[in-house]
Amino acid sequence: MSLMAAVQGVSTPVTSTRSPASLGHGAGLRPASPSSLFLRARRAAKPSPPAGDRRGVCHCVASPPTEQTGHKTKVSRNANMGKLQAGYLFPEIARRRSAHMLKYPDAHVISLGIGDTTEPIPEVITSAMAVKAQELSTFEGYSGYGAEQGDKKLRAGIASTYYKDLGIEESDIFVSDGAKCDISRLQLLFGANVKMAVQDPSYPAYVDSSVIMGQTGLYQKDIEKFGNIEYMRCTAENGFFPDLTKVSKTDIIFFCSPNNPTGSTASRDQLTKLVQFARENGSIIVYDSAYSMYISDDSPRSIFEIPGAKEVAIETSSFSKFAGFTGVRLGWTVVPKELVFSDGFPVAKDFNRIVCTCFNGASNIAQAGGLACLSPEGLKAMDDVVTFYKENTEIIVETFTSLGFNVYGGKNAPYVWVHFPGRSSWDVFAEILEKTHLVTTPGSGFGPGGEGFIRVSAFGHRGNVLEACKRLKQLYQ
């Protein structure tokens, strides 16, 4: 059975609101060949979860209204918090989803919005965590605080697995409770007196953490940007890689490849230009490689594959999207010993101080799981999970392409970036939610460059993905 035949085989009545006849095919992704779209029999047969099954759904909730009391402290609010716009993107989506469920209590709402994994963690990994947990109940196996930088064996395993022959050593690696947490620790490291640059669109945590740290000016509503941030516009026209000749000098450059949300991957030549740009301007690149295992072509998986990068770059990554550790929480950051501040002081020494001050080390149970991930059996199991999500991506790409939309990403990342020209991305989000009971992510939530797009996540049970694509076809055909 082809993927599209599988999509056609799932049915839920959906009211169509318009035809995309005005949408050209343009320069989007080509449909995948039929031979590449056969589903694995075991996974294709997996039934869709019942309506009450909330796995794969964003569990963040908006903060409740502040209770009014008769007493006020004399402590001033952090003014930087007041600069933030509305709620953080994903809790806002969760709030709207919850309101939709109150309106339609019997609807089977499917979430392809937040990038949360849905498939079970491979047993080879969970069994190692279970053994470690059981050992903690014995005198011989109990351990308390570990090294703030992470288990020595795990650090060595990360170095040999992901940075072999790149000159990255165990001592350069700091194990953490996830890349998102390390982004904020890095902002604390850099302090308030730096100017940062981000891809536009980009993962919102980069900008929001910069605002909270006090690096930015006020939000400028007319251009939908914060002052003192360099927004590096990434569009279909420039291949989702910024024109560096138009980027002003900045201190810190946040760069994600494969990119969240566009799904684009920087080529070796493009990353070489980025490293050269940083060297010429005296900048530090914070390179987010959280989706590197999804790369299926010859694009670099690490910034340190580029000559000279160890003198200008930090890399952060995670087991979240490789092994399903979004709830387990385990990641790492690489700070090469060659990277120094303007006065020659090693960046790694200051980051080590930040880690030792703000963090007591990753969970020893999670780190046992991380070691299992790096075993031959663990690597194979993670690759199987990634392959499953990439099959989901092919289904989603083929669906939108067949409907005439311009579709980007989806090749080296679990995200599909779909263009709705001339339309508000929040309006498209609302239309899809109202008419199909399907949660996506509005592109404008990732920056002004995301307006007119939605992001669709491939993280979902196969039955839900097939059902979602059937609904989309009924809505937009």
Side-chain angles (χ1 to χ4, degrees):
M1 180 187 296
S2 70
L3 291 181
M4 290 311 296
V7 173
Q8 295 288 357
V10 183
S11 62
T12 294
V14 179
T15 303
S16 178
T17 58
R18 71 177 184 92
S19 168
S22 62
L23 300 177
H25 288 271
L29 291 179
R30 298 178 181 175
S33 63
S35 62
S36 70
L37 300 182
F38 286 109
L39 303 180
R40 300 177 178 181
R42 178 177 65 84
R43 283 166 171 163
K46 181 182 291 185
S48 178
D53 190 337
R54 296 179 60 86
R55 288 174 293 174
V57 173
C58 175
H59 295 287
C60 298
V61 294
S63 299
T66 302
E67 182 179 349
Q68 297 296 320
T69 66
H71 175 76
K72 295 181 181 179
T73 72
K74 294 184 179 180
V75 179
S76 299
R77 183 190 182 198
N78 179 352
N80 296 315
M81 298 298 296
K83 297 178 185 176
L84 294 170
Q85 296 301 294
Y88 185 65
L89 174 62
F90 299 111
E92 174 62 19
I93 291 174
R95 185 190 67 79
R96 297 191 184 207
R97 179 190 182 281
S98 296
H100 182 80
M101 291 186 68
L102 288 175
K103 184 178 179 181
Y104 300 101
D106 298 324
H108 174 202
V109 178
I110 298 173
S111 178
L112 297 180
I114 187 172
D116 192 4
T117 51
T118 57
E119 301 309 293
I121 299 172
E123 187 175 357
V124 65
I125 300 170
T126 56
S127 61
M129 290 191 284
V131 169
K132 181 64 177 179
Q134 188 63 37
E135 288 177 349
L136 293 174
S137 67
T138 69
F139 284 108
E140 297 79 13
Y142 175 77
S143 61
Y145 291 128
E148 291 90 346
Q149 303 81 6
D151 178 83
K152 184 178 179 68
K153 290 182 180 179
L154 179 56
R155 297 170 77 193
I158 292 171
S160 62
T161 301
Y162 296 113
Y163 303 100
K164 185 178 180 180
D165 301 325
L166 298 182
I168 297 299
E169 301 175 355
E170 165 202 320
S171 59
D172 299 322
I173 294 171
F174 296 81
V175 176
S176 73
D177 51 348
K180 185 176 184 179
C181 302
D182 275 346
I183 288 168
S184 293
R185 294 186 188 108
L186 287 169
Q187 294 285 29
L188 187 61
L189 167 74
F190 300 134
N193 298 320
V194 296
K195 181 176 181 178
M196 62 170 284
V198 295
Q199 292 157 287
D200 178 25
S202 69
Y203 182 46
Y206 308 142
V207 169
D208 282 10
S209 60
S210 177
V211 174
I212 293 170
M213 182 53 60
Q215 298 169 356
T216 73
L218 296 175
Y219 184 72
Q220 303 167 34
K221 291 185 178 180
D222 56 333
I223 57 175
E224 299 181 329
K225 297 178 180 180
F226 284 95
N228 203 44
I229 289 184
E230 181 73 15
Y231 289 80
M232 305 184 296
R233 182 58 66 94
C234 298
T235 66
E237 289 71 29
N238 63 19
F240 296 103
F241 185 83
D243 182 352
L244 296 177
T245 64
K246 298 180 180 179
V247 176
S248 64
K249 179 179 178 180
T250 58
D251 301 301
I252 310 299
I253 302 170
F254 278 87
F255 197 92
C256 180
S257 179
N259 179 263
N260 178 12
T262 67
S264 61
T265 306
S267 68
R268 191 170 304 275
D269 180 63
Q270 288 172 330
L271 289 182
T272 298
K273 292 178 180 177
L274 180 65
V275 168
Q276 186 60 35
F277 177 82
R279 293 180 68 87
E280 291 173 355
N281 288 279
S283 307
I284 293 176
I285 301 166
V286 177
Y287 190 80
D288 187 340
S289 64
Y291 302 96
S292 61
M293 272 190 70
Y294 289 82
I295 294 177
S296 55
D297 57 23
D298 61 354
S299 301
R301 292 191 174 194
S302 169
I303 189 67
F304 300 120
E305 294 181 36
I306 308 303
K310 291 197 296 291
E311 296 175 336
V312 296
I314 292 169
E315 181 166 307
T316 186
S317 195
S318 169
F319 287 103
S320 286
K321 307 303 165 60
F322 304 165
F325 273 27
T326 52
V328 175
R329 308 307 306 149
L330 190 67
W332 68 88
T333 290
V334 183
V335 188
K337 61 183 66 65
E338 293 88 346
L339 182 66
V340 298
F341 289 112
S342 59
D343 62 357
F345 193 83
V347 175
K349 287 190 175 182
D350 273 358
F351 189 64
N352 185 65
R353 181 61 183 268
I354 293 289
V355 168
C356 291
T357 301
C358 303
F359 187 51
N360 273 334
S363 158
N364 46 19
I365 298 174
Q367 291 189 80
L371 274 170
C373 288
L374 301 180
S375 69
E377 298 82 6
L379 290 169
K380 173 62 168 59
M382 287 196 297
D383 184 66
D384 288 344
V385 173
V386 169
T387 298
F388 173 74
Y389 289 130
K390 287 172 73 69
E391 290 171 352
N392 279 353
T393 307
E394 290 177 345
I395 297 170
I396 297 167
V397 167
E398 185 180 11
T399 295
F400 278 105
T401 302
S402 71
L403 292 170
F405 290 93
N406 286 348
V407 184
Y408 306 94
K411 179 181 179 182
N412 292 321
Y415 299 122
V416 181
W417 192 237
V418 187
H419 195 200
F420 287 76
R423 299 196 61 192
S424 158
S425 57
W426 276 107
D427 286 349
V428 175
F429 165 89
E431 174 182 86
I432 292 174
L433 180 60
E434 178 70 21
K435 299 299 182 180
T436 72
H437 308 305
L438 173 63
V439 179
T440 59
T441 308
S444 61
F446 299 97
E451 184 59 278
F453 289 85
I454 62 165
R455 190 195 75 175
V456 184
S457 167
F459 294 120
H461 300 305
R462 182 59 50 80
N464 277 349
V465 171
L466 292 171
E467 171 67 17
C469 289
K470 180 62 178 179
R471 297 179 189 181
L472 288 165
K473 286 182 69 68
Q474 290 177 328
L475 176 62
Y476 289 120
Q477 269 184 336

